[in-house]
Amino acid sequence: MDLLEYQGKQFFAQFGIPVSDGRSVTTVDEAVAAADAVGYPVVVKAQVHAGGRGKAGGVKLANNADEVREHAGNILGLDIGGHITRILWIETASDISEEYYVSFTLDRSAKKHLGMLSKEGGIEIEKVAVDNPDAIAKIWVDPVDGLTEPVCRAWVEAANLNPAVTDGVVALLLKLYTAYTEGDADLAEINPLIVKTDGNVHALDAKVTLDNNADYRHEWSEYEATQVRDEREQAAHAKGLQYVGLDGTVGVIANGAGLAMSTLDVVNQAGGKPANFLDIGGGANAEVMASALQVINDDPNVKSIFINIFGGITRGEEVAKGIIGALEMVNIEAPIVIRLDGTNAEEGRALLAPHLSDKLVSMPTMLEAAAAAVELAKKN
Ligand code: GDP
Ligand code: MN
């Protein structure tokens, strides 16, 4: 789950990371009241799930109420990379002497946390990585060892920051590491991490992605309310399905994320375009199958549906019963192609046989099923 900047700053503040005082608002009048409360000058900042807000005109300095009114009026409703600004964050402006970059994320192949630190902050790190890769100091932290003070200090020294601020940066990075690990984040990025003219180190921006698998350990419901999902994804999410909306015409249902991914590939290979990713998980009972079919059926772009199930622990006849039961529960418009393989696939196909028609087709292999689904999508 991606946090907005102000939520990321609230998250950081819980771990003692210094951030500016501010308020989140949704109207121009509230923006002025917030600025009056935090004290001028302030920065008016668009709160959208996108970076590059500064360049897009979504970050403006205001010295008085009139300027707040003007900037807030311009930024509310501003389109930043396809995201319309509906929330502003008004914070006390900072006097900056240096802008650095820092982030923690998971390096899955190394099975370690990856920390990146650079004195070239404020600009996109992707650009630094291309133009000046030596300006990024990387560190891989074993989650069992954690980030110790001496290791953190060596990392900060390797980044060639202003030596006068080493202690302050080390202290902040140790807190950021704690926020990232104990807070269950997948990404914790500060760009820019600033040194103020008074020498204090401070998070001027916040980009935080929380690991949804850990939400049971936390109180994240307030963040949930600001998540921007496509309508189909919202409906699927409410039904507990792993669904990602795409823009093709072949609706896809598979069991297991890996099989669902390869199903998207074969649909493409067969010359079609998948309408979605949908993993129904291990058990393919009638309720889950019905929910999945319902979500796909509600997508007006879907012209055919490809159900790709490999029976494992869930046997073929259970899957077949699930599909038959689901079709009794929901009225599906698009033709369905089923590929059922794995444990007891033959028994499953035998159960399906009497139900087959030109709207419910069974194919023995994944590629044949994909080809049939793509053809049906083109015909409809
Ligand atoms: P982004 O463009 O979405 O990454 O938004 P940021 O929050 O990083 O702001 C963009 C840039 O605006 C920063 O790199 C700073 O240069 C500038 N900026 C943001 N807040 C302040 C502030 O309080 N004081 C000053 N002087 N500049 C700021
Ligand atoms: Mn930034």
Side-chain angles (χ1 to χ4, degrees):
M1 174 161 53
D2 296 330
L3 302 193
L4 295 169
E5 174 200 2
Y6 79 93
Q7 296 168 330
K9 285 180 169 172
Q10 286 164 354
F11 174 81
F12 285 164
Q14 288 167 24
F15 293 90
I17 296 168
V19 292
S20 306
D21 184 21
R23 308 269 190 281
S24 63
V25 301
T26 56
T27 66
V28 173
D29 287 338
E30 282 175 12
V32 173
D36 287 345
V38 300
Y40 295 93
V42 296
V43 186
V44 180
K45 307 186 79 174
Q47 299 299 293
V48 286
H49 293 284
R53 294 164 303 156
K55 264 194 216 156
V59 179
K60 295 284 181 193
L61 193 74
N63 290 298
N64 52 53
D66 284 343
E67 289 181 15
V68 172
R69 203 166 275 288
E70 182 192 337
H71 295 315
N74 290 338
I75 298 175
L76 280 170
L78 184 69
D79 182 327
I80 302 178
H83 301 260
I84 305 297
T85 309
R86 310 227 177 271
I87 305 174
L88 300 176
W89 172 246
I90 312 294
E91 73 171 27
T92 320
S94 307
D95 290 324
I96 304 175
S97 81
E98 324 245 2
E99 299 195 49
Y100 301 145
Y101 170 96
V102 65
S103 68
F104 286 107
T105 184
L106 185 63
D107 181 341
R108 288 172 202 276
S109 52
K111 299 188 182 121
K112 287 182 175 152
H113 298 304
L114 168 62
M116 291 195 274
L117 176 63
S118 177
K119 62 179 195 308
E120 308 274 323
I123 49 175
E124 287 156 53
I125 195 66
E126 291 81 4
K127 195 166 161 32
V128 179
V130 172
D131 297 346
N132 194 4
D134 293 341
I136 303 175
K138 295 185 181 174
I139 187 175
W140 280 267
V141 184
D142 190 314
V144 175
D145 302 337
L147 181 62
T148 62
E149 210 263 359
V151 169
C152 185
R153 186 166 292 275
W155 177 35
V156 170
E157 281 162 3
N160 284 317
L161 313 181
N162 175 355
V165 298
T166 301
D167 287 349
V169 173
V170 168
L172 190 148
L173 296 193
L174 290 170
K175 287 176 186 157
L176 183 63
Y177 182 80
T178 304
Y180 165 76
T181 51
E182 288 178 15
D184 283 313
D186 281 334
L187 168 72
E189 180 189 81
I190 305 176
N191 187 23
L193 170 70
I194 58 163
V195 181
K196 298 205 270 186
T197 42
D198 64 10
N200 284 318
V201 185
H202 188 100
L204 200 66
D205 192 2
K207 188 169 171 189
V208 174
T209 304
L210 299 173
D211 177 357
N212 282 21
N213 294 312
D215 62 358
Y216 70 96
R217 283 203 280 253
H218 303 275
E219 195 37 70
W220 286 345
S221 45
E222 65 191 279
Y223 301 148
E224 190 65 42
T226 57
Q227 296 301 301
V228 197
R229 283 206 185 84
D230 120 343
E231 263 173 52
R232 299 173 297 172
E233 291 184 10
Q234 238 156 343
H237 189 78
K239 291 179 154 85
L241 299 169
Q242 300 292 331
Y243 174 99
V244 180
L246 302 168
D247 52 13
T249 56
V250 180
V252 167
I253 299 175
N255 65 332
L259 185 62
M261 296 287 275
S262 23
T263 308
L264 303 188
D265 286 344
V266 290
V267 168
N268 277 308
Q269 193 184 331
K273 287 243 173 279
N276 64 275
F277 167 99
L278 202 172
D279 166 20
I280 56 167
N285 66 38
E287 284 76 27
V288 178
M289 188 58 81
S291 300
L293 281 168
Q294 187 73 67
V295 165
I296 288 185
N297 197 49
D298 288 345
D299 180 345
N301 289 336
V302 167
K303 302 286 182 243
S304 72
I305 302 173
F306 178 8
I307 302 180
N308 190 8
I309 304 288
F310 195 92
I313 295 169
T314 312
R315 299 188 312 274
E317 58 273 40
E318 291 170 62
V319 175
K321 279 184 204 152
I323 294 171
I324 295 162
L327 290 173
E328 282 163 9
M329 288 182 219
V330 289
N331 188 23
I332 303 300
E333 285 151 33
I336 300 173
V337 180
I338 302 167
R339 175 261 184 164
L340 179 58
D341 210 336
T343 312
N344 291 13
E346 266 173 45
E347 288 86 339
R349 285 190 213 129
L351 282 179
L352 283 172
H355 298 268
L356 297 179
S357 68
D358 53 354
K359 294 207 72 180
L360 188 66
V361 180
S362 171
M363 286 289 170
T365 70
M366 203 156 138
L367 199 52
E368 284 166 284
V374 169
E375 183 152 329
L376 284 167
K378 284 182 180 160
K379 259 198 257 169
N380 274 4

